[in-house]
Amino acid sequence: MHIQRTNILAPAIAALAIAAFLLMQDRQGTVYPEALLRADSIVSKQPDSAAVILDGLEHGIASAPEAVRMRYRLIRQKQIAYSFGRFTSDSAARALVEYYETRGERSRLPEAYYYAGKTYMSLNDSPMAMEYFFKTLDAAAESDLNLRGRTYSQLGYIFDRQWLDSEALGMFKKAYRCSSKTNDTVSMIFSLRDMGGMYVDLSKPDSALACYNKALALAEASHDKPMAITVTGQLARFYSQQGDYEMAFKCLNKVIGEDSCWDRGSIAGIAAKWYEANGKPDSAIMLYKEVADIGTVYTKADAYKALAEHYLAQKKLKEAALCLTNYKKAIDSIQGITTTEAIKQTSNLREYRFRESEFRRLRQKNKEQRAIMAILATIGSVATLALAFLSVYLRRKRNLQSMKLGRRKTGKASEPGHEAGNGMKDSLMHSEEIYKSIMLMVNNPNAKKKITEEMWAELSQAVNRIYPGFDENLYSLCKMSTFDYRICLLIKIKIQPSHIAAMANLSTSGVSTLRSKLFMRAFGKKGRPSDWDDIINSL
């Protein structure tokens, strides 16, 4: 009887053994070390433990098959990301993308794209990061809500860096929907926190508070202390911005002593601003020093500026000079990150590629080869004609630029009463609410130097109402981006370059360079920054 039972179970045991073996292979037949699969299974929740496993495998991985080596590198990318580490090179990301695009297991390609995006975010190359995140969404299955949700969050952070608040909010909402469907509490908390920040920037405090409170309730219900700390810190920032310093202090009291939190840099920066605003400079300076050591480039810029002002007041010129140097480096780094127009162009490029992809699919389905050839022939003819006229256009453009500059320099000066008329218009502008709001920012050193989308629209309307034809005359000079146009609006209402720099996340020298470039673009010759100011003031 015992022998019969053994004979019956033997085939089942063998089948289970074969199934277990197959689970450790990819579809190309590669056998992965059990330790490597173990690291992959725990990396999102226990990145430090995964790092120990990966370190143990590192010595022998060089002699492993290519598929094993590349899987190891992909899991190492995950471990760095989940540990809140920084990528210092894109070589690993590019190698992984090339491998999984050409010969590796295609099911891992979306992850390779995602971590390439994370790499370029670390390297402050937002357009490249965005390109890879869009590739992730294109390659990932609709059912892979975890990866899609994380990708939407990263795109939200990119838009937030560019002050594209509405676009960022849209991405964070998509991320929240993905995490809600999978009941991923941590991701839901992150998304609600980020949505709250965008609602603050969009001047919707009630919506912001609702998001923060919901995020905090989720963190407390799941006993997630680190997430509760970060949300409470954001609530402290929110209440400070709303002028409710009592509630801000209550929130700060709960988190300021939590030195081990991964969000410590942000918490310390929020607390420093609160202490500074409430007459406790010693505590503020101590925290600003901490932020200068551990904060992000954004919080470091604020910290170095505050420390420089402190040391100048103490007449410690050497320390002040060092802080000012570090402040300039941080601002330059931020300017490198803030590439709004490139981001918009990348977003438009994605829409264009989607339309092109659909067009190709329909073309193949309907076999409209003759029609396509006719279109291509037409495009070729148009391109030939365009090339023929290009040189003529360029010559005419140079001549028109010279004539335009001459008219601009002499035309307004010859108009009777021009100076007096402009003086009256300037007085009207000074009575506008939007002008007063911007001047409050300028004159209040503690105010957040950020103009919202609604304020930009209001400023544009006011300028064109008081100086009729401003937009039309400006755009007749040269093509310019939205960013360039907004700088011109600030010049028009006589905001000083140093204040424009603070509002636009530029250095003062960066503002000067931009003005000179606009003059060159408009008139085809070099000019001083003040020359461009004169042109703007004449419109």
Side-chain angles (χ1 to χ4, degrees):
M1 200 68 172
H2 175 73
I3 294 173
Q4 287 178 337
R5 187 182 297 114
T6 302
N7 290 338
I8 293 170
L9 292 176
I13 293 171
L16 287 172
I18 292 170
F21 176 76
L22 291 174
L23 283 173
M24 293 189 294
Q25 301 185 25
D26 67 7
R27 66 185 182 186
Q28 296 175 326
T30 302
V31 179
Y32 294 106
E34 290 187 27
L36 187 62
L37 298 178
R38 168 67 178 160
D40 199 9
S41 68
I42 67 172
V43 67
S44 63
K45 302 292 185 184
Q46 300 170 281
D48 293 341
S49 299
V52 172
I53 297 174
L54 293 173
D55 291 343
L57 292 170
E58 187 171 11
H59 178 71
I61 207 70
S63 59
E66 183 182 31
V68 176
R69 296 199 309 272
M70 300 310 286
R71 181 77 179 273
Y72 172 89
R73 295 179 79 175
L74 181 58
I75 298 170
R76 179 65 83 177
Q77 295 283 94
K78 295 184 190 180
Q79 182 268 319
I80 293 171
Y82 279 111
S83 300
F84 299 101
R86 292 191 61 81
F87 298 96
T88 57
S89 168
D90 66 348
S91 57
R94 287 188 292 107
L96 286 166
V97 167
E98 189 274 334
Y99 172 74
Y100 286 113
E101 279 185 337
T102 58
R103 56 195 182 280
E105 189 180 7
R106 295 288 292 183
S107 63
R108 305 202 186 282
L109 182 58
E111 277 193 321
Y113 285 147
Y114 176 80
Y115 288 105
K118 291 283 287 184
T119 297
Y120 284 111
M121 279 196 74
S122 276
L123 297 173
N124 292 331
D125 189 342
S126 294
M128 281 296 289
M130 177 177 252
E131 182 71 16
Y132 277 106
F133 287 136
F134 279 139
K135 284 185 175 183
T136 304
L137 294 174
D138 290 338
E142 290 292 333
S143 58
D144 193 349
L145 295 173
N146 178 277
L147 182 58
R148 297 184 74 85
R150 285 185 285 138
T151 305
Y152 285 129
S153 285
Q154 298 304 315
L155 287 168
Y157 296 138
I158 292 176
F159 283 128
D160 183 25
R161 283 179 172 184
Q162 317 306 318
W163 295 359
L164 301 173
D165 300 327
S166 296
E167 290 87 345
L169 178 61
M171 289 297 171
F172 292 138
K173 284 182 175 179
K174 289 182 178 181
Y176 180 71
R177 284 196 289 270
C178 288
S179 57
S180 297
K181 289 177 181 177
T182 59
N183 201 29
D184 183 347
T185 305
V186 172
S187 296
M188 290 168 67
I189 296 168
F190 271 122
S191 296
L192 286 166
R193 181 203 67 177
D194 298 332
M195 288 162 59
M198 292 305 96
Y199 278 126
V200 170
D201 290 343
L202 291 168
S203 301
K204 296 181 178 179
D206 292 342
S207 298
L209 185 58
C211 287
Y212 286 139
N213 285 336
K214 188 172 182 179
L216 184 58
L218 278 174
E220 291 175 343
S222 57
H223 305 290
D224 191 330
K225 185 177 179 181
M227 292 306 298
I229 290 171
T230 190
V231 175
T232 303
Q234 294 304 311
L235 272 169
R237 184 201 301 273
F238 169 80
Y239 285 123
S240 290
Q241 291 172 339
Q242 300 302 311
D244 190 343
Y245 294 112
E246 182 179 352
M247 284 298 297
F249 184 70
K250 287 181 180 179
C251 292
L252 283 174
N253 256 351
K254 296 178 181 178
V255 299
I256 194 62
E258 300 291 343
D259 295 331
S260 60
C261 176
W262 55 265
D263 201 20
R264 175 63 187 176
S266 175
I267 299 295
I270 295 167
K273 287 182 178 294
W274 187 91
Y275 283 126
E276 185 178 26
N278 287 272
K280 298 183 178 182
D282 293 341
S283 298
I285 292 302
M286 180 180 67
L287 287 167
Y288 276 131
K289 289 179 179 178
E290 183 179 353
V291 174
D293 286 335
I294 65 172
T296 66
V297 66
Y298 297 93
T299 54
K300 282 184 177 183
D302 290 339
Y304 281 126
K305 181 181 179 183
L307 289 171
E309 292 172 349
H310 168 72
Y311 286 128
L312 284 172
Q314 299 290 321
K315 300 192 183 304
K316 295 181 179 180
L317 302 184
K318 183 178 178 180
E319 291 87 345
L322 178 61
C323 289
L324 286 172
T325 299
N326 289 328
Y327 170 71
K328 185 179 183 303
K329 288 179 181 177
I331 290 297
D332 289 342
S333 296
I334 292 170
Q335 177 57 24
I337 296 170
T338 307
T339 51
T340 306
E341 290 305 309
I343 295 301
K344 287 183 176 177
Q345 290 166 12
T346 304
S347 182
N348 292 337
L349 179 63
R350 169 175 166 75
E351 294 176 8
Y352 168 78
R353 286 177 176 170
F354 176 78
R355 291 194 297 270
E356 282 293 288
S357 176
E358 285 296 291
F359 178 73
R360 287 194 298 270
R361 183 181 65 80
L362 292 172
R363 179 183 63 184
Q364 184 176 2
K365 180 180 178 181
N366 297 322
K367 301 184 183 301
E368 298 174 341
Q369 296 298 329
R370 292 181 181 178
I372 297 302
M373 292 301 296
I375 292 171
L376 291 174
T378 303
I379 291 173
S381 300
V382 172
T384 302
L385 289 171
L387 288 171
F389 285 109
L390 181 59
S391 60
V392 175
Y393 166 76
L394 292 174
R395 284 198 300 272
R396 290 189 63 192
K397 182 179 179 182
R398 285 193 293 269
N399 293 336
L400 286 170
Q401 284 175 331
S402 297
M403 294 170 60
K404 187 165 54 177
L405 178 59
R407 287 198 304 269
R408 183 59 59 190
K409 285 183 173 179
T410 60
K412 289 293 183 180
S414 63
E415 293 178 11
H418 173 65
E419 293 297 331
N422 263 2
M424 292 176 62
K425 291 176 180 179
D426 290 346
S427 297
L428 287 173
M429 174 54 71
H430 294 170
S431 66
E432 291 285 326
E433 289 301 319
I434 183 62
Y435 177 84
K436 294 176 182 178
S437 297
I438 292 174
M439 291 308 297
L440 278 176
M441 279 188 210
V442 168
N443 295 323
N444 183 355
N446 294 322
K448 185 177 181 181
K449 302 297 190 294
K450 180 174 179 180
I451 302 178
T452 65
E453 292 293 326
E454 290 81 0
M455 292 173 71
W456 282 120
E458 187 179 346
L459 178 59
S460 176
Q461 292 172 4
V463 167
N464 280 278
R465 184 172 62 253
I466 294 172
Y467 307 97
F470 175 80
D471 279 7
E472 181 181 353
N473 292 327
L474 179 62
Y475 283 111
S476 72
L477 296 177
C478 64
K479 289 184 178 180
M480 61 179 64
S481 67
T482 302
F483 184 80
D484 298 336
Y485 171 70
R486 288 172 173 178
I487 296 297
C488 293
L489 286 176
L490 296 176
I491 294 171
K492 184 63 179 174
I493 64 172
K494 309 282 192 305
I495 302 298
Q496 292 300 310
S498 60
H499 298 307
I500 293 177
M503 293 176 181
N505 265 349
L506 290 171
S507 61
T508 304
S509 61
V511 175
S512 297
T513 300
L514 177 62
R515 289 146 67 207
S516 297
K517 285 182 177 178
L518 287 171
F519 188 90
M520 168 64 82
R521 194 185 305 165
F523 302 111
K525 58 189 293 185
K526 290 184 178 180
R528 297 167 299 177
S530 59
D531 293 334
W532 182 248
D533 295 349
D534 292 341
I535 296 298
I536 295 300
N537 290 328
S538 73
L539 299 179

